[in-house]
Amino acid sequence: FEIAGLPQAALVPFETVLSLAHPDDLDAFRREREDSRTSRSKLVQELRWIRPDGQLRWVHIEADPSYDVDGQFVGYFGVVQDITGRKLAEQAAIDSRHLLADAIESFSQGLVLYDRDDRYVLSNSRFREMYSEMAQLLRPGMSYEEILCVGYQRGLYEDPDNDFEAWLPRTLAWHRNSAGKPWVLQLADGRWIQRVEHRTFDGGIAGLCIDITDFKRVEAALEHRVADLEVAGTDLEAQKLKLVATATELAHSRDAAEAATRTKSDFLASM
Protein backbone atom coordinates (compact mmCIF):
# COMPACT_ATOMS: atom_id res chain seq x y z
CA PHE A 1 0.00 0.00 0.00
CA GLU A 2 2.89 2.38 0.73
CA ILE A 3 4.45 1.68 -2.69
CA ALA A 4 1.15 2.19 -4.49
CA GLY A 5 0.13 5.19 -2.38
CA LEU A 6 -3.22 3.58 -1.61
CA PRO A 7 -5.08 3.46 1.71
CA GLN A 8 -4.94 0.05 3.34
CA ALA A 9 -7.92 -2.15 2.62
CA ALA A 10 -8.87 -5.81 2.97
CA LEU A 11 -9.59 -6.06 -0.75
CA VAL A 12 -8.23 -4.13 -3.71
CA PRO A 13 -10.12 -4.58 -7.00
CA PHE A 14 -7.96 -5.50 -9.98
CA GLU A 15 -9.26 -2.43 -11.77
CA THR A 16 -7.56 -0.32 -9.09
CA VAL A 17 -4.25 -2.06 -9.79
CA LEU A 18 -4.72 -1.47 -13.52
CA SER A 19 -5.38 2.20 -12.85
CA LEU A 20 -1.90 2.48 -11.32
CA ALA A 21 -0.10 1.28 -14.44
CA HIS A 22 1.54 3.90 -16.64
CA PRO A 23 -0.43 4.23 -19.91
CA ASP A 24 2.64 3.18 -21.93
CA ASP A 25 3.06 0.02 -19.81
CA LEU A 26 -0.59 -0.98 -19.50
CA ASP A 27 -0.93 -3.14 -22.63
CA ALA A 28 2.25 -5.08 -21.88
CA PHE A 29 1.11 -5.66 -18.30
CA ARG A 30 -2.24 -7.01 -19.44
CA ARG A 31 -0.66 -9.20 -22.12
CA GLU A 32 2.03 -10.70 -19.92
CA ARG A 33 -0.43 -11.30 -17.10
CA GLU A 34 -2.75 -13.17 -19.48
CA ASP A 35 0.16 -15.20 -20.91
CA SER A 36 1.22 -16.17 -17.40
CA ARG A 37 -2.26 -17.23 -16.44
CA THR A 38 -2.86 -19.40 -19.52
CA SER A 39 0.60 -21.00 -19.45
CA ARG A 40 0.58 -21.41 -15.66
CA SER A 41 4.00 -19.78 -15.46
CA LYS A 42 5.41 -17.16 -13.11
CA LEU A 43 4.64 -13.55 -13.94
CA VAL A 44 7.85 -11.50 -13.89
CA GLN A 45 7.58 -7.89 -14.99
CA GLU A 46 8.93 -4.39 -14.43
CA LEU A 47 6.61 -1.46 -15.02
CA ARG A 48 5.79 2.03 -13.85
CA TRP A 49 3.06 2.87 -11.39
CA ILE A 50 1.59 6.36 -11.08
CA ARG A 51 0.37 6.84 -7.53
CA PRO A 52 -2.78 8.83 -6.79
CA ASP A 53 -0.57 11.68 -5.52
CA GLY A 54 1.16 11.83 -8.93
CA GLN A 55 4.45 10.23 -7.89
CA LEU A 56 5.96 7.73 -10.33
CA ARG A 57 7.33 4.46 -8.97
CA TRP A 58 9.07 1.66 -10.83
CA VAL A 59 8.01 -1.74 -9.51
CA HIS A 60 9.27 -5.29 -10.02
CA ILE A 61 6.53 -7.91 -9.84
CA GLU A 62 7.02 -11.63 -9.36
CA ALA A 63 3.87 -13.67 -8.85
CA ASP A 64 2.65 -17.23 -9.37
CA PRO A 65 -0.86 -17.89 -10.67
CA SER A 66 -3.15 -19.87 -8.35
CA TYR A 67 -5.86 -22.33 -9.40
CA ASP A 68 -8.64 -24.14 -7.57
CA VAL A 69 -9.17 -27.92 -7.51
CA ASP A 70 -11.03 -27.67 -10.79
CA GLY A 71 -8.11 -25.92 -12.44
CA GLN A 72 -9.83 -22.55 -12.57
CA PHE A 73 -7.66 -19.47 -12.12
CA VAL A 74 -8.35 -17.74 -8.80
CA GLY A 75 -5.57 -15.18 -8.45
CA TYR A 76 -1.87 -14.47 -7.98
CA PHE A 77 0.45 -14.90 -5.04
CA GLY A 78 3.69 -12.93 -5.15
CA VAL A 79 5.64 -9.82 -4.29
CA VAL A 80 5.96 -6.25 -5.52
CA GLN A 81 9.32 -4.52 -5.06
CA ASP A 82 9.97 -0.78 -5.40
CA ILE A 83 12.95 -0.47 -7.80
CA THR A 84 12.65 3.26 -8.50
CA GLY A 85 16.13 4.02 -7.17
CA ARG A 86 17.76 1.41 -9.37
CA LYS A 87 15.86 2.53 -12.46
CA LEU A 88 16.82 6.17 -11.90
CA ALA A 89 20.46 5.15 -11.51
CA GLU A 90 20.29 3.08 -14.71
CA GLN A 91 18.81 6.01 -16.62
CA ALA A 92 21.46 8.35 -15.23
CA ALA A 93 24.15 5.95 -16.45
CA ILE A 94 22.54 5.77 -19.90
CA ASP A 95 22.33 9.57 -20.07
CA SER A 96 25.98 9.81 -19.03
CA ARG A 97 27.05 7.38 -21.74
CA HIS A 98 25.08 9.32 -24.35
CA LEU A 99 26.69 12.56 -23.18
CA LEU A 100 30.16 11.04 -23.43
CA ALA A 101 29.38 9.60 -26.86
CA ASP A 102 28.22 13.03 -28.06
CA ALA A 103 31.38 14.63 -26.67
CA ILE A 104 33.58 12.06 -28.39
CA GLU A 105 31.85 12.57 -31.74
CA SER A 106 32.08 16.36 -31.45
CA PHE A 107 35.89 16.29 -31.53
CA SER A 108 37.45 17.22 -34.85
CA GLN A 109 40.40 14.99 -33.95
CA GLY A 110 40.32 11.23 -34.03
CA LEU A 111 39.72 9.70 -30.61
CA VAL A 112 40.29 6.12 -29.50
CA LEU A 113 39.90 4.47 -26.11
CA TYR A 114 41.58 1.34 -24.73
CA ASP A 115 40.79 -0.34 -21.41
CA ARG A 116 43.21 -1.16 -18.59
CA ASP A 117 44.16 -4.41 -20.34
CA ASP A 118 45.05 -2.43 -23.49
CA ARG A 119 42.03 -3.69 -25.40
CA TYR A 120 40.13 -1.56 -27.91
CA VAL A 121 36.88 -0.13 -26.51
CA LEU A 122 35.63 2.54 -28.91
CA SER A 123 36.58 5.33 -31.30
CA ASN A 124 34.85 8.25 -32.93
CA SER A 125 34.02 8.56 -36.61
CA ARG A 126 36.99 10.88 -37.27
CA PHE A 127 39.43 8.24 -36.01
CA ARG A 128 37.82 5.62 -38.24
CA GLU A 129 38.10 7.97 -41.21
CA MET A 130 41.80 8.49 -40.53
CA TYR A 131 42.37 4.73 -40.35
CA SER A 132 39.72 3.72 -42.89
CA GLU A 133 41.59 0.57 -43.91
CA MET A 134 41.43 -0.64 -40.31
CA ALA A 135 37.97 0.62 -39.38
CA GLN A 136 36.07 -2.46 -40.51
CA LEU A 137 38.49 -4.73 -38.65
CA LEU A 138 38.32 -2.93 -35.31
CA ARG A 139 36.18 -4.70 -32.77
CA PRO A 140 35.86 -4.25 -28.99
CA GLY A 141 38.28 -6.51 -27.19
CA MET A 142 41.11 -6.41 -29.76
CA SER A 143 44.45 -5.79 -28.08
CA TYR A 144 46.50 -2.78 -29.14
CA GLU A 145 49.32 -5.10 -30.16
CA GLU A 146 46.95 -7.10 -32.35
CA ILE A 147 45.76 -3.90 -34.03
CA LEU A 148 49.35 -2.87 -34.73
CA CYS A 149 50.18 -6.29 -36.18
CA VAL A 150 47.15 -6.26 -38.47
CA GLY A 151 47.89 -2.70 -39.60
CA TYR A 152 51.54 -3.50 -40.31
CA GLN A 153 50.64 -6.63 -42.25
CA ARG A 154 48.28 -4.56 -44.39
CA GLY A 155 51.02 -2.02 -45.10
CA LEU A 156 49.29 0.78 -43.21
CA TYR A 157 52.37 2.12 -41.42
CA GLU A 158 55.55 3.54 -42.91
CA ASP A 159 58.64 1.72 -41.65
CA PRO A 160 61.82 2.96 -43.39
CA ASP A 161 63.85 0.12 -41.85
CA ASN A 162 61.34 -2.52 -42.92
CA ASP A 163 62.04 -4.25 -39.62
CA PHE A 164 58.85 -5.35 -37.90
CA GLU A 165 60.71 -6.97 -34.99
CA ALA A 166 62.22 -3.60 -34.08
CA TRP A 167 59.23 -1.45 -35.05
CA LEU A 168 56.66 -3.28 -32.89
CA PRO A 169 58.36 -3.02 -29.46
CA ARG A 170 59.34 0.59 -30.17
CA THR A 171 55.74 1.50 -30.99
CA LEU A 172 54.33 -0.43 -28.03
CA ALA A 173 56.80 1.25 -25.67
CA TRP A 174 55.64 4.73 -26.70
CA HIS A 175 51.99 3.73 -26.41
CA ARG A 176 52.40 2.42 -22.87
CA ASN A 177 54.74 5.11 -21.57
CA SER A 178 53.92 8.24 -23.56
CA ALA A 179 52.52 10.21 -20.57
CA GLY A 180 51.01 12.82 -22.87
CA LYS A 181 54.10 13.35 -25.04
CA PRO A 182 53.18 13.79 -28.74
CA TRP A 183 54.37 11.22 -31.23
CA VAL A 184 54.43 11.74 -35.00
CA LEU A 185 54.25 8.79 -37.35
CA GLN A 186 53.91 8.52 -41.10
CA LEU A 187 51.42 6.24 -42.78
CA ALA A 188 52.22 4.29 -45.91
CA ASP A 189 49.95 6.54 -48.01
CA GLY A 190 52.11 9.55 -47.16
CA ARG A 191 49.94 11.08 -44.45
CA TRP A 192 51.47 12.25 -41.18
CA ILE A 193 49.57 11.61 -37.94
CA GLN A 194 50.34 13.14 -34.57
CA ARG A 195 49.15 11.13 -31.55
CA VAL A 196 48.79 12.11 -27.91
CA GLU A 197 47.69 9.62 -25.25
CA HIS A 198 46.75 9.85 -21.58
CA ARG A 199 45.98 7.29 -18.92
CA THR A 200 42.39 7.13 -17.68
CA PHE A 201 41.61 6.91 -13.94
CA ASP A 202 41.14 3.13 -14.16
CA GLY A 203 44.34 2.46 -16.08
CA GLY A 204 43.04 2.63 -19.64
CA ILE A 205 44.32 4.88 -22.41
CA ALA A 206 42.54 7.72 -24.23
CA GLY A 207 44.28 8.86 -27.41
CA LEU A 208 43.81 11.78 -29.79
CA CYS A 209 45.03 11.68 -33.39
CA ILE A 210 45.52 14.69 -35.67
CA ASP A 211 46.29 14.65 -39.37
CA ILE A 212 49.24 17.07 -39.72
CA THR A 213 50.05 16.23 -43.33
CA ASP A 214 49.47 19.80 -44.55
CA PHE A 215 51.69 21.18 -41.82
CA LYS A 216 54.49 18.75 -42.70
CA ARG A 217 54.24 19.72 -46.38
CA VAL A 218 54.49 23.43 -45.61
CA GLU A 219 57.34 22.78 -43.20
CA ALA A 220 59.24 20.76 -45.82
CA ALA A 221 58.63 23.41 -48.49
CA LEU A 222 59.96 26.14 -46.19
CA GLU A 223 63.06 24.14 -45.31
CA HIS A 224 63.68 23.45 -48.99
CA ARG A 225 63.27 27.12 -49.91
CA VAL A 226 65.64 28.23 -47.14
CA ALA A 227 68.21 25.72 -48.37
CA ASP A 228 67.86 27.07 -51.91
CA LEU A 229 68.43 30.64 -50.68
CA GLU A 230 71.53 29.58 -48.77
CA VAL A 231 72.94 28.14 -51.97
CA ALA A 232 72.01 31.29 -53.93
CA GLY A 233 74.15 33.54 -51.71
CA THR A 234 73.91 36.39 -49.23
CA ASP A 235 72.19 38.82 -51.64
CA LEU A 236 68.99 36.97 -50.84
CA GLU A 237 69.57 37.20 -47.10
CA ALA A 238 66.41 39.22 -46.52
CA GLN A 239 64.22 36.63 -48.21
CA LYS A 240 65.91 33.88 -46.24
CA LEU A 241 65.32 35.70 -42.95
CA LYS A 242 61.66 36.18 -43.86
CA LEU A 243 61.24 32.50 -44.58
CA VAL A 244 63.00 31.57 -41.35
CA ALA A 245 60.62 33.86 -39.47
CA THR A 246 57.68 32.18 -41.18
CA ALA A 247 59.05 28.76 -40.22
CA THR A 248 59.45 29.92 -36.61
CA GLU A 249 55.88 31.18 -36.54
CA LEU A 250 54.72 27.88 -37.99
CA ALA A 251 56.63 26.01 -35.28
CA HIS A 252 54.98 28.14 -32.60
CA SER A 253 51.57 27.32 -34.07
CA ARG A 254 52.49 23.66 -34.05
CA ASP A 255 53.56 23.83 -30.40
CA ALA A 256 50.30 25.56 -29.45
CA ALA A 257 48.30 22.91 -31.30
CA GLU A 258 50.23 20.16 -29.52
CA ALA A 259 49.52 21.77 -26.14
CA ALA A 260 45.81 22.04 -26.95
CA THR A 261 45.75 18.42 -28.05
CA ARG A 262 47.41 17.29 -24.82
CA THR A 263 44.82 19.25 -22.85
CA LYS A 264 41.93 17.68 -24.76
CA SER A 265 43.39 14.21 -24.40
CA ASP A 266 43.83 14.68 -20.65
CA PHE A 267 40.29 16.03 -20.36
CA LEU A 268 38.82 13.07 -22.25
CA ALA A 269 40.82 10.63 -20.15
CA SER A 270 39.30 12.22 -17.05
CA MET A 271 35.79 12.00 -18.52
Side-chain angles (χ1 to χ4, degrees):
F1 289 107
E2 188 281 325
I3 295 174
L6 298 173
Q8 293 193 27
L11 181 66
V12 178
F14 180 61
E15 288 73 18
T16 300
V17 177
L18 285 179
S19 69
L20 293 171
H22 190 285
D24 293 342
D25 300 341
L26 184 57
D27 289 342
F29 176 63
R30 286 179 179 273
R31 182 175 61 255
E32 293 184 23
R33 182 175 181 274
E34 182 63 26
D35 291 344
S36 168
R37 188 176 71 174
T38 56
S39 64
R40 295 181 174 240
S41 60
K42 181 188 291 290
L43 172 65
V44 180
Q45 190 178 36
E46 294 183 356
L47 73 156
R48 291 164 291 182
W49 278 358
I50 301 178
R51 293 160 40 116
D53 61 6
Q55 288 189 38
L56 186 144
R57 297 282 182 93
W58 274 96
V59 295
H60 177 87
I61 299 174
E62 287 195 26
D64 292 298
S66 299
Y67 304 86
D68 61 20
V69 293
D70 297 324
Q72 297 298 313
F73 173 77
V74 295
Y76 276 97
F77 182 80
V79 295
V80 175
Q81 180 184 8
D82 187 340
I83 59 169
T84 305
R86 173 168 67 83
K87 282 293 187 178
L88 291 177
E90 288 175 354
Q91 187 58 51
I94 292 172
D95 293 342
S96 179
R97 286 196 296 270
H98 287 166
L99 180 63
L100 179 57
D102 290 343
I104 288 173
E105 281 300 315
S106 71
F107 273 68
S108 58
Q109 298 92 346
L111 181 135
V112 61
L113 179 66
Y114 301 93
D115 67 15
R116 62 185 303 172
D117 296 318
D118 216 10
R119 297 173 302 194
Y120 172 78
V121 177
L122 57 83
S123 58
N124 66 358
S125 56
R126 178 59 181 143
F127 179 88
R128 295 189 293 275
E129 289 172 3
M130 295 171 74
Y131 294 93
S132 57
E133 295 182 20
M134 286 287 295
Q136 294 182 347
L137 301 175
L138 291 175
R139 65 182 187 280
M142 287 183 70
S143 70
Y144 182 74
E145 184 172 350
E146 181 184 359
I147 292 172
L148 287 180
C149 291
V150 173
Y152 195 96
Q153 291 169 0
R154 289 177 169 260
L156 178 63
Y157 305 108
E158 180 69 18
D159 179 14
D161 300 325
N162 196 29
D163 185 356
F164 176 74
E165 298 301 326
W167 179 88
L168 181 61
R170 182 172 66 247
T171 306
L172 284 174
W174 174 86
H175 170 70
R176 293 166 180 168
N177 304 288
S178 65
K181 296 175 63 176
W183 183 46
V184 176
L185 70 155
Q186 187 176 19
L187 302 183
D189 61 7
R191 288 180 297 145
W192 289 87
I193 305 295
Q194 182 187 80
R195 301 187 63 166
V196 178
E197 297 183 344
H198 278 274
R199 286 285 176 183
T200 64
F201 73 93
D202 61 349
I205 292 178
L208 277 178
C209 304
I210 306 174
D211 190 328
I212 60 169
T213 305
D214 290 342
F215 169 83
K216 296 292 285 186
R217 287 172 179 166
V218 172
E219 184 181 53
L222 282 172
E223 292 175 352
H224 186 267
R225 183 59 177 154
V226 169
D228 288 345
L229 290 173
E230 289 176 346
V231 173
T234 57
D235 58 322
L236 298 176
E237 187 66 24
Q239 293 188 45
K240 184 176 73 174
L241 290 175
K242 183 178 180 181
L243 285 173
V244 170
T246 303
T248 301
E249 183 180 350
L250 189 64
H252 288 162
S253 299
R254 176 200 59 201
D255 294 342
E258 287 181 356
T261 301
R262 286 195 295 269
T263 300
K264 288 181 179 180
S265 178
D266 189 37
F267 168 68
L268 277 174
S270 299
M271 287 183 66

